[in-house]
Amino acid sequence: MYATVDDVYEIAGVSVDLATLKKAQAIIETASGRPVELVTDTTDLIWLKKATAYQCAYMEEDPTSVFEQPNLESYSHGDDKMVMGNKDVWLAPLAQKAIGNVSWRRSRMIQFGPMDYRKELKRQNRETRRMRGKWGWHIL
C-alpha cells in the first residue's frame, strides 16, 4: 500500500476505513500506471502516498461515487446534444498533480540550453554519409 489510514489522516485530515483506502489505492495505481510492487524509488513512494491520501479525501463523502460520475460538460435537450469533458472526474485534482511528479511521468529531456543548429546539421550529414556507405545509397 502506498499509504496507511494514519497517513491519510496526517496528510489530508480525513478518517477513512480500509475499504476506501484500498479503492483509492487501486485508482492511484491505475492513474500512475504502476502497481505498488514495481515502485522502489523513495521519492516516488512519497508522491504516491500523497496522491492516495488526496484521493481518499476526494472520495470521503461517497467512496463509490467516482465509479458512477459521468464526464459530462453540457447537455441540451432540444437536439439531445451531450458534450463530454476532458476532466478526469474519478481522479482527485491534487492526486493528479502528485502523480505528475513521479519519475516516470517527468520530462525526459536531456539537452539543456539552446540548440546549436550547425552542430546538429553536421551530425545529420555524418549520419547520412554513414548510412549511404553502409547500404550503398548514392546521390543521383
Side-chain angles (χ1 to χ4, degrees):
M1 296 287 284
Y2 290 132
T4 64
V5 174
D6 294 333
D7 291 333
V8 172
Y9 185 76
E10 182 182 317
I11 294 169
V14 294
S15 297
V16 294
D17 58 353
L18 190 58
T20 302
L21 181 62
K22 286 182 178 182
K23 289 174 188 170
Q25 169 81 22
I27 290 171
I28 297 302
E29 284 182 349
T30 302
S32 68
R34 298 270 167 98
V36 68
E37 297 84 14
L38 297 180
V39 181
T40 57
D41 184 42
T42 55
T43 306
D44 291 339
L45 288 170
I46 290 169
W47 283 116
L48 292 170
K49 180 194 323 183
K50 290 180 181 186
T52 304
Y54 298 144
Q55 186 67 28
C56 284
Y58 187 72
M59 297 169 56
E60 179 185 17
E61 290 292 321
D62 183 9
T64 61
S65 66
V66 296
F67 301 108
E68 300 166 357
Q69 295 175 345
N71 192 4
L72 186 64
E73 209 169 81
S74 67
Y75 174 76
S76 58
H77 186 66
D79 293 336
D80 289 327
K81 181 181 177 186
M82 290 169 66
V83 177
M84 302 305 281
N86 60 358
K87 180 181 153 199
D88 296 329
V89 294
W90 51 273
L91 186 61
L94 284 173
Q96 191 170 14
K97 186 74 173 166
I99 289 171
N101 291 325
V102 295
S103 63
W104 60 90
R105 295 285 201 138
R106 286 188 224 129
S107 172
R108 288 176 170 78
M109 185 176 142
I110 297 173
Q111 180 180 359
F112 297 100
M115 182 175 174
D116 185 355
Y117 291 102
R118 289 182 182 151
K119 185 177 178 181
E120 177 61 19
L121 185 61
K122 286 179 184 178
R123 186 197 67 77
Q124 289 177 1
N125 288 340
R126 275 194 320 269
E127 185 67 19
T128 303
R129 283 192 304 272
R130 186 184 70 78
M131 293 300 291
R132 284 183 180 147
K134 182 176 182 179
W135 299 104
W137 298 343
H138 301 287
I139 300 175
L140 298 175

